[in-house]
Amino acid sequence: MISAQAVKELRERTGAGMMDCKNALIEANGDIEKAIDILREKGLAAAAKKAGRTANEGLVEAYIHGGGRIGVLVEVNCETDFVANTEEFRNFVKEVCMQIAAANPKYISREDVPQEVIEKEKEILKAQALNEGKPANVIDRIVEGRLEKFYKENCLLEQEYIRDPEKTVKDLLNEMIAKLGENIVIRRFARFERGEGIEK
Amino acid sequence: MISAQAVKELRERTGAGMMDCKNALIEANGDIEKAIDILREKGLAAAAKKAGRTANEGLVEAYIHGGGRIGVLVEVNCETDFVANTEEFRNFVKEVCMQIAAANPKYISREDVPQEVIEKEKEILKAQALNEGKPANVIDRIVEGRLEKFYKENCLLEQEYIRDPEKTVKDLLNEMIAKLGENIVIRRFARFERGEGIEK
């Protein structure tokens, strides 16, 4: 039997609808953590359905860190100005800014990494593995594994969310999509760090 | 005879040193406006002398316009954090942000315009002039003239300063260099307008 209290807690923690929460709890035999996972999986499904819809509203937001040492500019799109004006959306965009300031991604998703960057990275990783004396038959697997790490460090959506390393930024995004019921796209960002690349 | 009052006014208006102001007034026969021009010319000379010095301090600053419709991120460098922390420098950086938000430059200086963009622009301008029935012997001159206009519209340093169209942004920058006594470089910017380039 699922208690009204558990449904309420799950709703507060996920923002999902009442019946969705109840069904997830039934499926999870009353385990709230497991029910959250189930809802997140459904959130992912909802996100996939919404991914084709045009998101051309949204916000351009900026964040300046350390009194002008690091600056981030980001555009996040949604489908309507109604959602763009919700506090939840605004907070999400701010979180994305802070994530970029703190974790310094180079790309939004792994699809954005240029092929020549991947090739160069692979070369370096291969040379590394060879230098470490790894046997030839496992080199490729090692390179693939380390390339995954490269994506996880450099692609915003694959990064660990700075406030909760259990989640990726993609998880956070999918939660927002499920919660706000619109396609949401982190479209582009710029990150400047004072003096980077200037020869001293 | 140059009055102490005129020197004081000129100092307040230009931020230049006392003897520079006095000499400029003598040269201008006491005409303050003319003396300002003279100081600005000297400011240019001072800026040229300082241009070789490494500017790797400064500020990254952002400006969001229209509640998230337009965003600008800019890095402006100077030589010391002392200057970076002055109110004048901070205000200058803010002005640069607003200029970029309002006047939408594509490049910092004409040297930053890629050669292929210039070539394409020239072709268009030439076709335009031919379509207008301009005689062949003046086409090149017309194209050069209109290309200057293109630079003036698209290059930040050549744009009219939004608060004083008598000045270019480059003039404003040179005034800052003369006033603060350091090399100052508008190094890079990003400008995002919500939804630009998204097909509806």
Side-chain angles (χ1 to χ4, degrees):
Chain A
M1 188 54 201
I2 306 303
S3 73
Q5 182 55 37
V7 174
K8 186 166 173 284
E9 188 186 333
L10 187 56
R11 288 196 67 183
E12 283 171 3
R13 287 181 62 183
T14 63
M18 196 182 63
M19 284 312 295
D20 288 338
C21 288
K22 204 172 170 184
N23 290 334
L25 280 163
I26 291 169
E27 203 177 326
N29 291 321
D31 180 335
I32 287 192
E33 297 303 327
K34 208 173 158 197
I36 290 174
D37 288 344
I38 291 166
L39 282 172
R40 282 178 61 194
E41 282 163 24
K42 290 192 180 160
L44 282 164
K49 259 193 290 179
K50 290 183 180 71
R53 296 186 356 204
T54 305
N56 54 20
E57 288 293 335
L59 286 178
V60 177
E61 179 62 288
Y63 169 64
I64 297 293
H65 182 79
R69 195 172 62 80
I70 295 172
V72 170
L73 186 66
V74 75
E75 179 178 0
V76 182
N77 296 122
C78 56
E79 296 175 40
T80 63
D81 61 353
F82 176 78
V83 160
N85 285 322
T86 58
E87 207 187 322
E88 274 154 333
F89 185 80
R90 290 189 173 271
N91 285 341
F92 171 68
V93 177
K94 282 197 187 106
E95 286 299 295
V96 173
C97 282
M98 298 230 206
Q99 174 79 29
I100 294 166
N104 194 12
K106 300 288 181 292
Y107 313 97
I108 290 181
S109 72
R110 64 170 68 194
E111 288 73 30
D112 301 319
V113 186
Q115 194 56 40
E116 63 265 30
V117 172
I118 297 173
E119 292 308 323
K120 198 179 167 200
E121 197 59 28
K122 274 186 177 172
E123 256 174 56
I124 294 167
L125 293 172
K126 194 169 179 177
Q128 256 176 23
L130 287 167
N131 281 337
E132 289 162 12
K134 305 285 183 196
N137 61 332
V138 297
I139 294 280
D140 282 354
R141 205 140 38 88
I142 289 170
V143 167
E144 284 307 317
R146 290 183 184 171
L147 197 60
E148 284 301 312
K149 192 158 168 277
F150 171 84
Y151 289 135
K152 207 171 159 51
E153 282 169 3
N154 291 287
C155 301
L156 174 62
L157 293 176
E158 305 199 20
Q159 286 183 335
E160 288 173 2
Y161 174 35
I162 47 169
R163 291 197 210 280
D164 179 1
E166 299 288 304
K167 286 181 196 173
T168 64
V169 175
K170 174 93 177 158
D171 291 335
L172 188 70
L173 173 66
N174 283 331
E175 281 177 18
M176 273 298 123
I177 293 171
K179 203 162 176 175
L180 296 173
E182 290 197 359
N183 185 18
I184 297 172
V185 178
I186 302 173
R187 191 161 164 245
R188 51 179 172 168
F189 69 89
R191 181 187 187 277
F192 293 172
E193 203 163 328
R194 178 176 57 209
E196 66 189 338
I198 298 177
E199 283 180 31
K200 302 208 178 185
Chain B
M1 189 51 201
I2 305 304
S3 74
Q5 182 57 37
V7 174
K8 186 165 174 286
E9 187 186 334
L10 188 56
R11 288 196 69 183
E12 283 169 3
R13 287 180 63 183
T14 64
M18 196 181 65
M19 282 313 294
D20 288 337
C21 288
K22 202 170 173 185
N23 290 334
L25 281 163
I26 290 168
E27 203 176 328
N29 292 321
D31 180 333
I32 288 191
E33 296 304 326
K34 209 172 158 196
I36 290 173
D37 288 344
I38 291 166
L39 283 173
R40 281 179 62 194
E41 284 163 22
K42 290 191 179 161
L44 283 164
K49 257 192 290 178
K50 290 183 180 72
R53 294 181 3 200
T54 305
N56 53 19
E57 289 292 336
L59 287 178
V60 177
E61 179 62 289
Y63 170 63
I64 298 292
H65 182 79
R69 195 172 62 79
I70 296 172
V72 170
L73 186 67
V74 75
E75 179 179 358
V76 182
N77 296 121
C78 55
E79 296 175 39
T80 63
D81 61 353
F82 176 79
V83 160
N85 285 322
T86 59
E87 208 187 323
E88 275 155 331
F89 184 80
R90 292 190 172 270
N91 286 340
F92 171 68
V93 177
K94 283 199 186 103
E95 286 299 295
V96 173
C97 282
M98 299 231 204
Q99 174 79 29
I100 294 166
N104 193 12
K106 299 289 180 293
Y107 312 97
I108 290 180
S109 71
R110 64 170 68 195
E111 287 73 30
D112 300 319
V113 186
Q115 194 56 38
E116 62 266 29
V117 172
I118 297 174
E119 292 309 322
K120 199 179 166 200
E121 197 58 30
K122 273 186 177 171
E123 255 174 57
I124 294 167
L125 293 172
K126 193 169 179 179
Q128 255 176 25
L130 287 167
N131 281 337
E132 288 162 14
K134 306 287 184 196
N137 61 331
V138 297
I139 294 280
D140 282 354
R141 204 141 37 87
I142 289 170
V143 168
E144 284 306 319
R146 289 182 184 171
L147 197 61
E148 284 300 313
K149 193 158 167 278
F150 171 84
Y151 289 135
K152 208 173 159 48
E153 282 168 4
N154 292 287
C155 301
L156 174 63
L157 293 176
E158 304 200 19
Q159 286 183 335
E160 289 173 2
Y161 174 36
I162 48 169
R163 292 198 209 279
D164 179 0
E166 299 287 305
K167 285 182 197 174
T168 63
V169 175
K170 174 92 176 160
D171 291 335
L172 187 71
L173 173 66
N174 283 332
E175 281 176 20
M176 273 299 123
I177 293 172
K179 204 162 174 175
L180 296 174
E182 289 196 0
N183 186 19
I184 297 172
V185 178
I186 302 173
R187 192 163 163 243
R188 50 180 173 168
F189 70 88
R191 182 186 186 279
F192 293 171
E193 204 164 327
R194 178 176 59 209
E196 65 189 339
I198 299 177
E199 283 180 30
K200 302 208 178 185

